[in-house]
């Protein structure tokens, strides 16, 4: 769909785990939140794996190493090896290695995941602007990252160091709610320096390149909870996507999405991998899915019928996206969304 806007979620006659060879799964908000598995994630991924689908875990969170992520997944009941995990730290390290000489010093503002990834690419992590770094790399460092790290980054960048960022997600979901992500920290340094970083993570091409190189996927399905990273990354890579509603995206945001943020499929959680997806055909002046029909009256989205709420959301997406065309939908969807228990 890279050249045409999507006007409705697509259907699939077979389970998505059969239609695609590899699931490229986001982690935070999809598989786990705040260190705990999201409901239905463990059993759904187990069934998909047993059915022959390759599972790869693709995360913009650069804090932990692939080994640590794989160990955590295994503890949660999702068996994984380090080679199954692709991080934005790996993507940004490759991006940097393509531009910097081997052995170059890099000031790290972030966690161990960045340091390990840099060493794998022959770069040398340092801790201070006074260590003469030729570059700065910034990634999510967790809630305890000292404020002074941002100052070190600003000093080095002001002295001419090239600035890189693993990703620019403004938020990150956790057990207690939505917290500031690496993008918020990047903004601190941007304000202090006036500089612009080179960014590697989703939705940008370096992350897609890293994922394809490491997984060898031929027919991948991106699975995520964020429109502006997971779904846009799939759009930029020209591959299909499944949005699950277990993370940061809510129904209203999905309905209003402009083309680059519209997923191929929509489902409540990872159980969507194990089923087919219903068609959303036109029905008179509106669109039908399951027991629901959605349409536009004046400047308002309307929803009639009853049944599975996720079918109602699919019908609303079709009505809204068709009405919006190549733009974002500005119709009033509050009453329609309120009818859905999502």
């Amino acid at each position: 769909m890279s050249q045409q806007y999507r006007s409705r979620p697509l259907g699939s006659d077979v389970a998505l785990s059969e239609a695609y060879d590899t699931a490229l799964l986001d982690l935070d908000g999809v598989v786990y939140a705040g260190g705990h598995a999201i409901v239905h994630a463990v059993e759904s991924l187990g069934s998909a794996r047993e059915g022959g689908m390759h599972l790869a875990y693709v995360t913009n969170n650069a804090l932990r190493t692939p080994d640590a992520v794989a160990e955590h997944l295994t503890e949660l009941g999702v068996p994984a090896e380090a080679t199954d995990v692709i991080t934005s730290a790996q993507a940004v390290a490759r991006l940097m290695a393509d531009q910097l000489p081997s052995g170059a010093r890099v000031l790290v503002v972030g966690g161990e995941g960045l340091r390990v990834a840099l060493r794998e690419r022959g770069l040398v992590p340092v801790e201070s602007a006074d260590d003469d770094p030729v570059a700065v790399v910034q990634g999510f460092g967790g809630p305890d990252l000292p404020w002074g790290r941002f100052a070190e980054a600003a000093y080095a960048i002001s002295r001419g160091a090239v600035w890189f960022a693993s990703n620019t997600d403004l938020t990150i979901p956790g057990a207690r709610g939505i917290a500031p992500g690496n993008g918020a920290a990047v903004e601190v340094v941007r304000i202090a320096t006036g500089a612009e970083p080179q960014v590697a993570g989703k939705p940008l091409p370096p992350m897609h390149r890293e994922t394809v190189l490491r997984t060898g996927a031929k027919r991948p399905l991106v699975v995520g909870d964020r429109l502006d990273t997971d779904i846009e990354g799939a759009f930029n890579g020209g591959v299909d996507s499944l949005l699950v509603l277990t993370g940061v995206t809510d129904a209203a945001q999905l309905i209003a999405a402009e083309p680059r943020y519209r997923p191929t499929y929509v489902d409540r959680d990872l159980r969507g991998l194990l089923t087919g997806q219903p068609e959303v055909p036109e029905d008179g002046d509106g669109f039908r899915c399951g027991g629901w029909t959605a349409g536009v009256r004046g400047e308002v989205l309307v929803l009639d019928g009853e049944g599975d709420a996720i079918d109602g959301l699919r019908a609303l997406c079709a009505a809204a996206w068709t009405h919006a065309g190549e733009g974002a939908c500005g119709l009033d969807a509050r009453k329609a969304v309120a009818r859905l228990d999502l």
Side-chain angles (χ1 to χ4, degrees), residues 324-340:
E326 297 183 13
C329 180
L331 296 173
D332 185 350
R334 289 172 294 180
K335 288 186 178 180
V337 170
R339 294 200 60 195
L340 302 175

Side-chain angles (χ1 to χ4, degrees), residues 128-185:
S128 170
D130 296 333
D131 292 327
D132 298 321
V134 299
V136 173
V137 63
Q138 192 169 356
F140 185 66
D144 299 322
L145 185 69
W147 186 260
R149 303 306 299 155
F150 304 141
E152 292 298 323
Y155 300 149
I157 293 165
S158 297
R159 295 173 189 175
V162 184
W163 184 22
F164 295 84
S166 63
N167 66 296
T168 52
D169 298 29
L170 290 173
T171 60
I172 186 168
R176 297 172 60 195
I178 303 300
N182 191 55

Side-chain angles (χ1 to χ4, degrees), residues 246-257:
T246 48
V248 301
T249 300
D250 61 26
Q253 292 168 329
L254 176 60
I255 289 166

